[in-house]
């Protein structure tokens, strides 16, 4: 690198520190150095303090005056540990976060020991680190989620690279067909070097804990009748390792890893090739149904619905939408690439919004038999949609899973003969968000609803590398489970 290229990227603080070190080593005062290079002592003081960059023509003169080479003056590292600490202190004090503390400027004089400097710099680094781990605001979370959903929509919710990794794992354990058994899940864990252990004291903020030192995946002890529910938990955990995930560095990164790990688990529990056999055969018969995918692979209705959205556009040429919502119509999870008019907030986020009362997801809860699949056509401002909704009884609160398509694609699905039909004008508030005029006239000013309080209303989203996880609880759990070396065991 030429001298001109080096000076184009000069760090004034480092250069000044190296110049001061070389000058004092040569036994020169600022005035003496100034006399040799034709500059004032005050000018050179600003150069040494990083407040003035030297011109290219001056650098050679300075190097010759203090008896070092130009390359040595332009080196990128501070000359000593003390110099490095002084530079870090200077940079810290120019940081807006430091200035918010309202502290007076601290000059690193000779009376300030290296140990004191080390403490100050380290403490501020920790303050800054913790400030970056602050809780994500709801706005930040919604924006991150909306960006992720947009990417999923763009690719039809199909992740071919994850399908390929899952297929390799299935081949490695000799999977052939049918539901993946618990023993096969254990084989998959072994494939990645882990064993599975069920425990009764798993921390309440996690679904699993992985001891990466002793290669154990801990999951909650479950009733034998519910043992299949442990499969996705284990496989989602393995997904983080199979997909090479590092600690998430942002809330958006955390969300992406969750989506990818969940996809990986689905690709193992309902393998692509086997699932396509079921779906393509059903399409030829014009009898597509999420129920059949669920029953064929022994997965939850929600997992089957996810797998359908993964494969429908890529392999069946069908655009779809998916919703998981509660009895009040609040969306907990959603995906669409068929232009269904989901409600969205100003950031573009779908989750947390309330669905129209006329949609199948809301009407399923009002059905005479709410636990039978609810089929319905809904006319909306962007077209007519056919939906099937399954109300899940094992959740608190109860949730509904809806999968839908545009009217033209209803011909491929079971339940298309349904006579149920509704009309939604949302987002027009006169559809269902505004009380009818007669009721508004009768009750306006005469009703005082007491809202149900939710603990999360005023709370920021959980902070930390893994939002919502109590790491102290997790580490305490792992410490209790840590094997004791044989030499440290005592008799009695």
């Amino acid at each position: 690198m030429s001298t001109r290229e080096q000076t184009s990227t000069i760090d004034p603080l480092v250069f000044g520190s190296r110049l001061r070190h070389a000058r004092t080593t040569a036994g020169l005062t600022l005035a003496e150095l100034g006399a040799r290079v034709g500059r004032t002592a005050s000018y050179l003081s600003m150069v040494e303090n990083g407040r003035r960059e030297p011109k290219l023509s001056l650098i050679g003169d300075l190097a010759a005056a203090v008896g070092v080479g130009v390359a040595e003056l332009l080196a990128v590292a501070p000359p000593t540990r003390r110099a490095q600490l002084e530079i870090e202190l200077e940079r810290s004090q120019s940081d807006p976060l430091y200035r918010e503390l309202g502290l007076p400027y601290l000059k690193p004089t000779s009376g300030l020991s290296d140990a004191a400097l080390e403490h100050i710099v380290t403490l501020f680094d920790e303050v800054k680190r913790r400030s970056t781990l602050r809780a994500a605001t709801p706005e930040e979370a919604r924006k991150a989620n909306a960006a992720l959903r947009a990417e999923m929509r763009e690719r039809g919710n199909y992740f071919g690279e994850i399908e390929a990794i899952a297929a390799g794992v299935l081949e490695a354990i000799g999977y052939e067909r049918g539901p993946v058994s618990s023993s096969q899940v254990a084989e998959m864990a072994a494939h990645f070097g882990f064993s599975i252990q069920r425990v009764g004291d798993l921390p309440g903020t996690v679904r699993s804990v992985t001891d990466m030192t002793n290669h154990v995946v801990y999951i909650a002890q479950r009733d034998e009748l519910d043992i299949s529910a442990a499969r996705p938990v284990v496989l989602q955990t393995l997904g983080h390792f199979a997909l090479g995930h590092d600690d998430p560095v942002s809330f958006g990164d955390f969300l992406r890893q969750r989506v990818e790990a969940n996809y990986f688990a689905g690709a193992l529990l309902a393998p692509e090739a086997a699932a396509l056999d079921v779906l393509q055969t059903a399409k030829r018969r014009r009898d597509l149904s999420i129920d059949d995918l669920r029953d064929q692979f022994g997965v939850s209705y929600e997992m089957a619905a996810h797998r359908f959205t993964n494969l429908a556009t890529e392999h069946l040429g069908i655009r779809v939408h998916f919703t998981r919502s509660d009895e009040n119509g609040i969306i907990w999870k959603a995906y669409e690439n068929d232009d269904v008019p989901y409600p969205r907030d100003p950031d573009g986020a779908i989750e947390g919004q309330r669905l129209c009362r006329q949609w199948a997801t809301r009407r399923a809860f009002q059905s005479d038999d709410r636990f039978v699949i609810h089929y319905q056509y809904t006319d909306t401002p962007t077209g007519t949609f056919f939906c099937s909704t399954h109300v899940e009884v094992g959740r608190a609160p109860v949730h509904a899973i809806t999968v839908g398509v545009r009217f033209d694609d209803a011909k491929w699905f079971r339940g298309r003969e349904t006579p149920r039909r509704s009309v939604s004008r949302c987002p027009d508030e006169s559809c269902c968000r505004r009380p009818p005029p007669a009721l508004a006239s009768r009750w306006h000013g005469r009703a005082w609803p007491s809202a149900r309080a939710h603990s999360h209303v005023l709370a920021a989203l959980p902070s930390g590398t893994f939002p919502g996880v109590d790491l102290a609880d997790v580490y305490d759990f792992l410490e209790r489970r840590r094997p004791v070396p044989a030499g440290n065991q005592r008799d009695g």
Side-chain angles (χ1 to χ4, degrees):
M1 181 182 294
S2 69
T3 300
R4 184 174 298 276
E5 290 174 320
Q6 285 180 292
T7 55
S8 66
T9 58
I10 192 172
D11 183 328
L13 285 173
V14 174
F15 178 86
S17 177
R18 296 196 69 83
L19 176 61
R20 180 185 298 112
H21 179 75
R23 175 180 62 79
T24 55
T25 300
L28 297 173
T29 65
L30 282 170
E32 290 170 338
L33 177 59
R36 294 187 181 188
V37 299
R39 292 290 191 275
T40 65
S42 60
Y43 172 82
L44 293 178
S45 177
M46 287 190 289
V47 171
E48 289 190 351
N49 288 320
R51 295 188 177 90
R52 181 70 65 87
E53 284 191 43
K55 294 182 178 179
L56 176 62
S57 58
L58 179 60
I59 293 177
D61 293 341
L62 289 171
V66 296
V68 300
V70 171
E72 185 174 339
L73 273 189
L74 294 176
V76 296
T80 63
R81 174 58 178 163
R82 169 76 185 199
Q84 181 180 350
L85 289 171
E86 291 180 356
I87 290 172
E88 290 180 8
L89 176 64
E90 186 66 30
R91 287 177 176 157
S92 295
Q93 294 186 98
S94 64
D95 191 296
L97 180 62
Y98 192 103
R99 292 201 295 269
E100 287 177 10
L101 300 176
L103 297 173
Y105 178 77
L106 179 64
K107 186 175 182 179
T109 61
S110 57
L112 188 63
S113 69
D114 289 4
L117 265 178
E118 193 89 50
H119 275 73
I120 294 168
V121 168
T122 302
L123 284 172
F124 179 71
D125 284 346
E126 179 63 14
V127 169
K128 191 166 186 177
R129 185 189 72 83
R130 294 193 179 196
S131 75
T132 63
L133 294 178
R134 62 178 170 76
T137 66
E139 290 76 16
E140 290 169 332
R142 287 197 296 269
K143 287 179 181 178
N145 193 52
L148 180 58
R149 296 297 179 199
E151 180 185 337
M152 293 164 66
R153 188 185 198 277
E154 182 68 23
R155 62 192 302 172
N157 205 25
Y158 180 77
F159 292 67
E161 64 279 15
I162 299 180
E163 299 281 1
I165 294 171
V169 175
L170 291 165
E171 182 179 2
I173 68 163
Y175 169 85
E176 295 181 355
R177 52 199 269 175
V180 172
S181 66
S182 296
S183 61
Q184 287 174 317
V185 170
E187 290 180 54
M188 294 179 194
H191 175 74
F192 290 102
F194 293 97
S195 62
I196 303 168
Q197 187 170 334
R198 294 176 174 83
V199 295
D201 59 342
L202 194 72
T205 59
V206 298
R207 302 180 70 201
S208 72
V209 173
T210 303
D211 180 343
M212 297 171 63
T213 299
N214 298 295
H215 307 287
V216 181
V217 177
Y218 294 101
I219 60 174
Q221 184 70 51
R222 296 178 182 270
D223 188 283
E224 286 300 316
L225 296 177
D226 193 33
I227 198 68
S228 64
R231 296 179 305 158
V233 174
V234 173
L235 297 180
Q236 287 162 6
T237 300
L238 295 177
H240 293 297
F241 301 102
L243 303 177
H245 289 163
D246 294 320
D247 287 354
V249 296
S250 66
F251 199 81
D253 197 26
F254 172 76
L255 290 177
R256 175 181 294 277
Q257 290 186 6
R258 294 256 307 200
V259 167
E260 291 178 349
N262 191 51
Y263 193 113
F264 177 77
L268 291 174
L269 291 170
E272 183 175 24
L276 282 177
D277 284 344
V278 175
L279 293 174
Q280 289 170 339
T281 299
K283 186 183 179 186
R284 286 193 295 270
R285 296 174 179 170
R286 296 182 178 237
D287 192 34
L288 283 171
S289 172
I290 305 302
D291 301 60
D292 291 349
L293 203 59
R294 173 193 62 185
D295 296 341
Q296 182 73 27
F297 296 100
V299 296
S300 68
Y301 194 92
E302 182 176 354
M303 178 67 79
H306 271 304
R307 282 306 277 159
F308 183 78
T309 67
N310 296 153
L311 305 173
T313 303
E314 178 73 15
H315 294 292
L316 305 179
I318 299 174
R319 295 184 298 157
V320 300
H321 65 269
F322 161 92
T323 314
R324 174 182 154 201
S325 59
D326 62 24
E327 194 166 4
N328 296 312
I330 302 300
I331 300 173
W332 289 57
K333 189 185 299 183
Y335 163 80
E336 64 82 20
N337 69 346
D338 61 357
D339 298 319
V340 67
Y342 278 134
R344 287 176 166 81
D345 71 6
D347 295 321
I350 299 169
E351 284 79 0
Q353 301 301 299
R354 191 184 302 275
L355 291 165
C356 176
R357 292 174 182 269
Q358 304 304 321
W359 283 23
T361 302
R362 299 289 301 273
R363 289 193 146 197
F365 284 106
Q366 304 165 13
S367 173
D368 292 337
D369 191 348
R370 65 194 300 188
F371 302 120
V372 171
I373 298 296
H374 179 94
Y375 300 108
Q376 178 180 313
Y377 290 95
T378 307
D379 299 325
T380 78
T382 59
T384 299
F385 294 85
F386 167 77
C387 300
S388 61
T389 298
H390 169 77
V391 177
E392 294 193 310
V393 296
R395 292 182 183 271
V398 176
H399 276 72
I401 304 297
T402 296
V403 174
V405 296
R406 299 190 71 86
F407 178 83
D408 290 345
D409 285 318
K411 63 190 177 207
W412 307 115
F413 287 81
R414 185 181 304 166
R416 61 186 177 277
E417 302 87 359
T418 181
R420 295 191 187 99
R421 191 152 193 156
S422 68
V423 177
S424 168
R425 298 188 307 278
C426 283
D428 183 343
E429 293 201 353
S430 67
C431 175
C432 66
R433 300 179 188 277
R434 186 184 303 154
L439 290 181
S441 175
R442 180 179 304 143
W443 291 107
H444 180 67
R446 301 176 184 177
W448 185 283
S450 180
R452 182 187 298 275
H454 297 283
S455 62
H456 62 272
V457 169
L458 299 179
L461 293 174
S463 62
T465 303
F466 303 96
V469 172
D470 185 340
L471 280 180
D473 201 12
V474 169
Y475 293 164
D476 183 60
F477 166 83
L478 288 174
E479 188 64 21
R480 294 196 304 271
R481 299 281 169 180
R482 184 171 60 89
V484 178
N488 292 346
Q489 293 178 349
R490 296 181 180 179
D491 295 333

